[in-house]
Amino acid sequence: MKRSALLLIAGVLVFSVSSSGGLSRQVVAYDLKARLQTDTKTVEGQEVLTWLNESEDPVSELQFHLYMNAFKNNRTTFMKESGRTHRGFKADEENWGRIEVRKISIRDGDDLTGTMAFIRPDDQNPDDQTVMKVTLPLPVNPREKITLVIDFATKLPKVFARSGFVGDFFMVGQWFPKIGVLKDGVWNCHQYHAQSEFFADYGAFRVELTVPARYVVGATGKRISETQNADGSKTYVHVQEDVHDFAWTACPEFVEFREKFSLKNPPVETEMIFLIHRRHLGQKDRYVRALRQGLEFYSTSYGPYPYETITLVDPAPGAAAAGGMEYPTLFTADTTSFMPRGVRMPEMVTIHEFGHGYWYGIVGSNEFEEAWLDEGINSYSEAKAMDKYYGPDGSMIDFLGLRIGEIPFQRMSVIASGRFDPIDKFSWAYVSGGSYSLNVYQKASLMLLTLERLLGEDVMSRIMKTYYEEWKFRHPTTKDFIRVAEKVSGKDLAWFFDQVLYSPDRLDYGISDLASFEVLDPLGMFDGLPAKETPAVKGAKFPAAPKQFRSEVVAARFGEWIFPQEILVVFSDGSRVRETWDGRDRWKRFVYVKPVKAVSAEVDPDRKLVLDANITNNSRVIERARRPVLKYTLGFVGWFQALLSLVSL
Amino acid sequence: MSILACYAKGIRTASARPKIILLLWAANVLFASIAYVLFASVFASALGPSGAAAGLMKKADMNVLLEAIVNSGRPMGVMQAALFAVILIYFLVSIFLQGGILRGLVESSPEARSGRVFFDGGARYYGRFFRLAFCSLLLWIAAAVVFIVLNIALRAVTKNSTNEQLTFTLSLFKIAFVLFLVFLIKMIMDYARIRMVTRDANKALPALLSSARYVFGHPGSTLVLYYLLGLTGLSILALWRLVISPIRMTTAAAVWAGFFLTQLFIASRGWLHLAYQAAQLVNFQSQKTLLLYNAVAPRSYDPHLRQGDSHV
Ligand SMILES: [Zn+2]
């Protein structure tokens, strides 16, 4: 009783564990008020945060992400790691960003401002202020809640990495003090790194956004009110449960479109909200079609889209650095006014970022620590969706005769890569940004495509659906994914994941030799026959047999990963032999004595192993096909001739 | 003489010189054959004895083609360097061809179309045309300066602009402007060569400068004639693409048909080149003829100049 009274005095509220929209366990509840100052590019905010201690231990320290401080100076961890460049966009040195926590206190209780301190759990960088801790006068006990009131101001940078402003376009993401995740009694609250994004607990958001009235606003969740204020501003209130973040955007040049999306099986009813910059209206139909495809593909492949809204934000011209980013129920796409239809970048980005609503939004893995769980699974999903809707041969580019599908595109970065990093690694621990992205995006996607071909599409589909169902609105790890894959497939997949997820090596099998030669009649000395007679008795002692050919095929392992192999050998009469090999040794020879020659041999003839770093060496033929060389050479020569004819003019 | 007449005369003259067209085409093919050998060997070794190669005839297997590109970094680098050298040598040879062509065009004797006159012209003007090419660096530098200034000015306009349409239009304008400068310099070079041949002038720099003066003095006729011929070239290009695009290159016969059509196009480039020289020569001579009546005739070493003039 005494203890409860003390807790009440301290402003710590005790509740039983509750769930919000019924989908997730509500660990956090944010009530945010934000006012956008368009002249100073600042958001003045107040946050009322209720946090539930789900652990078994009392907690007397809270940790918060202050992401916007990554843009505070040129020595933050983000700036150092990124070289002040993100996806080709450079930081603007005249427009730094920052977040200032002016006051933090327990509601109706102690002021904690004096206990605020910046910590650097990942790299001890003294110039990084992206994580803050506060010390509580009294601990929050297990299954108890605490409510804090935080006054803050966020100065937005000129956008070069996801969040910020360009002209009168504002993309406001990672803008408020966001509490970390208490995992196994330890705070999981990483600094803002160049190659990592976000991890947070689920809960409910209610956000009041006040902006000048001429601005068109989009935000996470559903709009429940819209009020014109006396000072010429407007206040929009958005609410959303079962999400772990809240982002919003404002721009007077947005044109808003709303369309319903319905699906019967599984049942989905949602409202698509498109905020398209006036100058990109010509691209609207591409966005609408791609978002419909995304909704249909993810709902049917994994589970029905559970939210009432989905908002697509088209960044203003000049704000592409804000494009291609996911937030719960809202994402930024990317296009330009003159994007050719055959370059399917807007479609790909739309499907990908919408897809993060599943892999990041609903299935909340830790992107700091295991980015492949969202980027890799999402790239896999995106490739499948793009191939489904745009055809596998030209799903990525189908322009001026050049056709490239997503899978060859993903393969290209992997086969060109060094062997520095595995897929599963802390995202700031990769040798470079390139190594991070090729591993967590492309290699992880190819891993899942390979697994799908090995287990069969049906089994893989069940794995993905089960993983989604079991881990939606929770925080799975790689081990959880593997557990589901093994449970559903009924197979021990350690051999697969141990190699592909945790080793930087590569998969490469091929045919190293193929030869076929006639089996000669016996010549020389044989027991029981005088040597000198041998030539004479040729044909007499050994009755004439039909010609026989000895064909040898050597399958080889060029890479380090060990995968079981299938080998197809084709003979000159069209007959085929399929062999299997455990793939363990460096090579295996297959010998055939037949009346016909072997004409070709191929490992992985069904191209299941899309992870294979070299498909060209997978097969070998006795007689090389010369026509394709002629075809491409003549094509090249034609262009070279045209170039020469320009030189002479 | 009107521009259209110059144009028509150029086209007629070019069409009447199949041997030169054949020679230009042959020179092109000769140098391109090096590209053939290089590309075929790099590509064939990238494919090796792979069975995947066979599939490329029917379909562009991007898995295999991208692998060939990614895994052939070094041979491709070597090929690139070698092809750059080929282009450079071809450029030097083309200087010789220019001399031969122009000599054949100004020569009005019955021997004008003989190989002797062609090769004699090539050798005779090689030194001065080479110096001319060297002097043209001046023009290229001037053009670069103009372009850089324009670029700086445009960047000031587009900096922080959120108007993609404007940025796009200005980029198109920049490309068009670069092409204009390139064509302008090429045109000045053409007239400089014509001047050197018709007057047997030896000094490259004065020829270049006076031909620049000439072009700027007659911007209408020179530009219209140049772009009229350019338009002819573009029409042929469009026709070539129109004919070749629908051909599905899945059989050896189709591949050879495509190659044959490409050779026709390359030959048409030679024809057009000839037409440019002939038309511009006629234009130059007709303008100069007018001037010659009013000015002191320049010192001439070429007995054919008078005939050429009277011919006009
Ligand atoms: Zn992503």
mmCIF file of all heavy atoms in Angstrom, chain A residues 2 100 103 114 116 130 138 155 173 176-177 180 184 197 252 284 308 329 340 343 361 397 430 455 486 567 597:
data_model
loop_
_atom_site.group_PDB
_atom_site.id
_atom_site.type_symbol
_atom_site.label_atom_id
_atom_site.label_comp_id
_atom_site.label_asym_id
_atom_site.label_seq_id
_atom_site.Cartn_x
_atom_site.Cartn_y
_atom_site.Cartn_z
ATOM 1 N N LYS A 2 1.843 1.202 0.884
ATOM 2 C CA LYS A 2 2.756 2.320 1.013
ATOM 3 C C LYS A 2 3.531 2.513 -0.294
ATOM 4 O O LYS A 2 3.725 3.612 -0.780
ATOM 5 C CB LYS A 2 3.703 2.040 2.192
ATOM 6 C CG LYS A 2 4.502 3.253 2.626
ATOM 7 C CD LYS A 2 5.405 2.867 3.792
ATOM 8 C CE LYS A 2 6.451 3.973 4.019
ATOM 9 N NZ LYS A 2 7.556 3.484 4.805
ATOM 10 N N GLU A 100 16.133 19.044 -29.589
ATOM 11 C CA GLU A 100 16.480 19.558 -28.269
ATOM 12 C C GLU A 100 15.361 19.164 -27.316
ATOM 13 O O GLU A 100 14.198 19.500 -27.543
ATOM 14 C CB GLU A 100 16.588 21.080 -28.362
ATOM 15 C CG GLU A 100 17.124 21.734 -27.110
ATOM 16 C CD GLU A 100 16.979 23.260 -27.178
ATOM 17 O OE1 GLU A 100 16.803 23.801 -28.294
ATOM 18 O OE2 GLU A 100 17.004 23.880 -26.115
ATOM 19 N N LYS A 103 12.513 19.847 -21.745
ATOM 20 C CA LYS A 103 12.102 19.444 -20.399
ATOM 21 C C LYS A 103 11.553 18.017 -20.464
ATOM 22 O O LYS A 103 10.822 17.669 -21.394
ATOM 23 C CB LYS A 103 11.015 20.383 -19.883
ATOM 24 C CG LYS A 103 10.705 20.171 -18.415
ATOM 25 C CD LYS A 103 9.634 21.119 -17.915
ATOM 26 C CE LYS A 103 9.274 20.758 -16.481
ATOM 27 N NZ LYS A 103 8.041 21.357 -16.045
ATOM 28 N N GLY A 114 17.243 17.283 -15.305
ATOM 29 C CA GLY A 114 18.608 17.301 -14.788
ATOM 30 C C GLY A 114 19.314 15.964 -14.889
ATOM 31 O O GLY A 114 20.547 15.900 -14.804
ATOM 32 N N MET A 116 19.142 14.016 -17.524
ATOM 33 C CA MET A 116 19.379 13.652 -18.937
ATOM 34 C C MET A 116 20.879 13.564 -19.207
ATOM 35 O O MET A 116 21.644 14.425 -18.787
ATOM 36 C CB MET A 116 18.811 14.724 -19.880
ATOM 37 C CG MET A 116 17.310 14.748 -19.941
ATOM 38 S SD MET A 116 16.662 15.799 -21.264
ATOM 39 C CE MET A 116 17.731 17.184 -21.333
ATOM 40 N N THR A 130 22.686 10.882 -30.239
ATOM 41 C CA THR A 130 21.450 10.299 -30.752
ATOM 42 C C THR A 130 20.784 9.358 -29.743
ATOM 43 O O THR A 130 19.715 8.832 -30.027
ATOM 44 C CB THR A 130 21.696 9.556 -32.078
ATOM 45 O OG1 THR A 130 22.730 8.592 -31.883
ATOM 46 C CG2 THR A 130 22.100 10.505 -33.180
ATOM 47 N N LEU A 138 12.489 6.665 -8.837
ATOM 48 C CA LEU A 138 12.067 5.351 -8.347
ATOM 49 C C LEU A 138 11.908 4.424 -9.534
ATOM 50 O O LEU A 138 11.496 4.872 -10.609
ATOM 51 C CB LEU A 138 10.708 5.461 -7.633
ATOM 52 C CG LEU A 138 10.731 6.018 -6.214
ATOM 53 C CD1 LEU A 138 9.305 6.270 -5.756
ATOM 54 C CD2 LEU A 138 11.422 5.044 -5.279
ATOM 55 N N LYS A 155 14.702 20.722 -35.077
ATOM 56 C CA LYS A 155 15.075 21.525 -36.249
ATOM 57 C C LYS A 155 15.373 20.532 -37.373
ATOM 58 O O LYS A 155 16.226 19.652 -37.228
ATOM 59 C CB LYS A 155 16.304 22.365 -35.908
ATOM 60 C CG LYS A 155 17.100 22.872 -37.088
ATOM 61 C CD LYS A 155 16.456 24.080 -37.742
ATOM 62 C CE LYS A 155 17.291 24.562 -38.927
ATOM 63 N NZ LYS A 155 17.233 23.678 -40.092
ATOM 64 N N GLY A 173 10.174 12.557 -40.189
ATOM 65 C CA GLY A 173 10.274 11.202 -39.648
ATOM 66 C C GLY A 173 11.343 11.199 -38.562
ATOM 67 O O GLY A 173 12.253 12.032 -38.581
ATOM 68 N N PHE A 176 10.685 12.769 -32.940
ATOM 69 C CA PHE A 176 10.340 12.982 -31.522
ATOM 70 C C PHE A 176 11.192 12.044 -30.655
ATOM 71 O O PHE A 176 11.692 11.032 -31.155
ATOM 72 C CB PHE A 176 8.842 12.700 -31.302
ATOM 73 C CG PHE A 176 8.432 11.302 -31.682
ATOM 74 C CD1 PHE A 176 8.399 10.292 -30.722
ATOM 75 C CD2 PHE A 176 8.103 10.980 -33.000
ATOM 76 C CE1 PHE A 176 8.031 8.992 -31.084
ATOM 77 C CE2 PHE A 176 7.742 9.686 -33.345
ATOM 78 C CZ PHE A 176 7.704 8.694 -32.392
ATOM 79 N N PRO A 177 11.374 12.367 -29.386
ATOM 80 C CA PRO A 177 12.130 11.458 -28.518
ATOM 81 C C PRO A 177 11.392 10.120 -28.448
ATOM 82 O O PRO A 177 10.234 10.079 -28.040
ATOM 83 C CB PRO A 177 12.127 12.172 -27.160
ATOM 84 C CG PRO A 177 11.859 13.603 -27.482
ATOM 85 C CD PRO A 177 10.956 13.588 -28.680
ATOM 86 N N GLY A 180 13.562 3.534 -26.310
ATOM 87 C CA GLY A 180 14.157 2.310 -26.843
ATOM 88 C C GLY A 180 13.333 1.088 -26.470
ATOM 89 O O GLY A 180 12.233 1.197 -25.924
ATOM 90 N N ASP A 184 14.960 -8.353 -22.686
ATOM 91 C CA ASP A 184 15.603 -9.203 -21.679
ATOM 92 C C ASP A 184 16.232 -8.362 -20.565
ATOM 93 O O ASP A 184 17.359 -8.631 -20.122
ATOM 94 C CB ASP A 184 16.673 -10.090 -22.339
ATOM 95 C CG ASP A 184 16.096 -10.875 -23.504
ATOM 96 O OD1 ASP A 184 14.937 -11.311 -23.393
ATOM 97 O OD2 ASP A 184 16.789 -11.023 -24.534
ATOM 98 N N GLU A 197 18.399 1.514 -39.476
ATOM 99 C CA GLU A 197 17.228 2.324 -39.298
ATOM 100 C C GLU A 197 16.661 2.066 -37.908
ATOM 101 O O GLU A 197 17.312 2.364 -36.929
ATOM 102 C CB GLU A 197 16.282 2.119 -40.473
ATOM 103 C CG GLU A 197 16.908 2.783 -41.702
ATOM 104 C CD GLU A 197 16.356 2.341 -43.035
ATOM 105 O OE1 GLU A 197 15.537 1.421 -43.062
ATOM 106 O OE2 GLU A 197 16.760 2.916 -44.043
ATOM 107 N N PRO A 252 2.504 22.374 -49.488
ATOM 108 C CA PRO A 252 1.326 22.998 -50.131
ATOM 109 C C PRO A 252 1.108 22.506 -51.561
ATOM 110 O O PRO A 252 0.021 22.697 -52.111
ATOM 111 C CB PRO A 252 1.660 24.491 -50.102
ATOM 112 C CG PRO A 252 3.124 24.578 -49.876
ATOM 113 C CD PRO A 252 3.569 23.327 -49.198
ATOM 114 N N LYS A 284 0.937 9.668 -61.531
ATOM 115 C CA LYS A 284 -0.015 9.178 -60.526
ATOM 116 C C LYS A 284 -0.474 7.750 -60.817
ATOM 117 O O LYS A 284 -0.488 6.900 -59.931
ATOM 118 C CB LYS A 284 -1.220 10.121 -60.478
ATOM 119 C CG LYS A 284 -2.254 9.696 -59.453
ATOM 120 C CD LYS A 284 -3.593 10.376 -59.681
ATOM 121 C CE LYS A 284 -4.702 9.555 -59.081
ATOM 122 N NZ LYS A 284 -6.017 9.911 -59.575
ATOM 123 N N GLU A 308 -6.392 0.605 -41.503
ATOM 124 C CA GLU A 308 -7.490 1.245 -42.238
ATOM 125 C C GLU A 308 -7.004 2.176 -43.351
ATOM 126 O O GLU A 308 -7.781 2.568 -44.219
ATOM 127 C CB GLU A 308 -8.357 2.059 -41.263
ATOM 128 C CG GLU A 308 -9.217 1.195 -40.376
ATOM 129 C CD GLU A 308 -9.979 2.046 -39.376
ATOM 130 O OE1 GLU A 308 -10.911 2.750 -39.771
ATOM 131 O OE2 GLU A 308 -9.592 2.012 -38.191
ATOM 132 N N THR A 329 2.161 2.594 -41.904
ATOM 133 C CA THR A 329 0.991 3.010 -42.699
ATOM 134 C C THR A 329 1.261 4.221 -43.602
ATOM 135 O O THR A 329 0.343 4.818 -44.139
ATOM 136 C CB THR A 329 -0.270 3.313 -41.843
ATOM 137 O OG1 THR A 329 -0.140 4.607 -41.275
ATOM 138 C CG2 THR A 329 -0.510 2.276 -40.763
ATOM 139 N N PRO A 340 10.817 7.389 -67.647
ATOM 140 C CA PRO A 340 10.215 6.574 -68.705
ATOM 141 C C PRO A 340 9.435 5.395 -68.113
ATOM 142 O O PRO A 340 9.817 4.844 -67.089
ATOM 143 C CB PRO A 340 11.427 6.069 -69.497
ATOM 144 C CG PRO A 340 12.557 6.944 -69.112
ATOM 145 C CD PRO A 340 12.272 7.422 -67.720
ATOM 146 N N VAL A 343 11.253 2.172 -67.286
ATOM 147 C CA VAL A 343 12.155 2.133 -66.125
ATOM 148 C C VAL A 343 11.243 2.083 -64.907
ATOM 149 O O VAL A 343 10.625 3.062 -64.533
ATOM 150 C CB VAL A 343 13.075 3.375 -66.090
ATOM 151 C CG1 VAL A 343 13.987 3.325 -64.872
ATOM 152 C CG2 VAL A 343 13.894 3.452 -67.370
ATOM 153 N N GLY A 361 7.110 -3.005 -40.376
ATOM 154 C CA GLY A 361 5.950 -2.418 -39.718
ATOM 155 C C GLY A 361 5.229 -3.431 -38.850
ATOM 156 O O GLY A 361 5.111 -3.256 -37.633
ATOM 157 N N ILE A 397 13.704 -3.269 -65.820
ATOM 158 C CA ILE A 397 13.864 -2.321 -66.931
ATOM 159 C C ILE A 397 13.328 -2.972 -68.194
ATOM 160 O O ILE A 397 13.641 -4.126 -68.488
ATOM 161 C CB ILE A 397 15.347 -1.948 -67.123
ATOM 162 C CG1 ILE A 397 15.854 -1.153 -65.928
ATOM 163 C CG2 ILE A 397 15.546 -1.138 -68.411
ATOM 164 C CD1 ILE A 397 17.339 -0.879 -65.955
ATOM 165 N N TYR A 430 29.583 -3.634 -41.104
ATOM 166 C CA TYR A 430 30.001 -4.079 -42.440
ATOM 167 C C TYR A 430 31.190 -3.261 -42.916
ATOM 168 O O TYR A 430 31.370 -2.112 -42.496
ATOM 169 C CB TYR A 430 28.848 -3.932 -43.440
ATOM 170 C CG TYR A 430 27.734 -4.936 -43.222
ATOM 171 C CD1 TYR A 430 26.760 -4.714 -42.259
ATOM 172 C CD2 TYR A 430 27.679 -6.113 -43.958
ATOM 173 C CE1 TYR A 430 25.746 -5.622 -42.040
ATOM 174 C CE2 TYR A 430 26.665 -7.031 -43.748
ATOM 175 C CZ TYR A 430 25.700 -6.787 -42.781
ATOM 176 O OH TYR A 430 24.704 -7.694 -42.569
ATOM 177 N N LEU A 455 12.878 -25.920 -51.511
ATOM 178 C CA LEU A 455 11.796 -26.531 -50.730
ATOM 179 C C LEU A 455 10.506 -26.657 -51.528
ATOM 180 O O LEU A 455 9.622 -27.427 -51.166
ATOM 181 C CB LEU A 455 11.515 -25.689 -49.472
ATOM 182 C CG LEU A 455 12.655 -25.564 -48.473
ATOM 183 C CD1 LEU A 455 12.270 -24.628 -47.336
ATOM 184 C CD2 LEU A 455 13.039 -26.929 -47.900
ATOM 185 N N GLU A 486 12.136 -24.405 -40.368
ATOM 186 C CA GLU A 486 12.373 -25.833 -40.098
ATOM 187 C C GLU A 486 11.091 -26.540 -39.675
ATOM 188 O O GLU A 486 10.821 -27.664 -40.084
ATOM 189 C CB GLU A 486 13.455 -25.987 -39.024
ATOM 190 C CG GLU A 486 14.819 -25.535 -39.545
ATOM 191 C CD GLU A 486 15.948 -25.832 -38.581
ATOM 192 O OE1 GLU A 486 15.714 -25.784 -37.353
ATOM 193 O OE2 GLU A 486 17.072 -26.104 -39.060
ATOM 194 N N ILE A 567 22.832 -33.040 -61.302
ATOM 195 C CA ILE A 567 23.605 -32.891 -62.541
ATOM 196 C C ILE A 567 22.838 -33.566 -63.669
ATOM 197 O O ILE A 567 22.375 -34.707 -63.524
ATOM 198 C CB ILE A 567 25.010 -33.528 -62.406
ATOM 199 C CG1 ILE A 567 25.796 -32.785 -61.310
ATOM 200 C CG2 ILE A 567 25.785 -33.456 -63.714
ATOM 201 C CD1 ILE A 567 26.246 -33.627 -60.209
ATOM 202 N N LYS A 597 27.632 -40.489 -77.465
ATOM 203 C CA LYS A 597 28.501 -39.577 -76.714
ATOM 204 C C LYS A 597 27.667 -38.647 -75.825
ATOM 205 O O LYS A 597 26.546 -38.297 -76.185
ATOM 206 C CB LYS A 597 29.262 -38.679 -77.685
ATOM 207 C CG LYS A 597 30.355 -39.367 -78.442
ATOM 208 C CD LYS A 597 31.008 -38.324 -79.349
ATOM 209 C CE LYS A 597 32.222 -38.900 -80.044
ATOM 210 N NZ LYS A 597 32.877 -37.917 -80.883
#
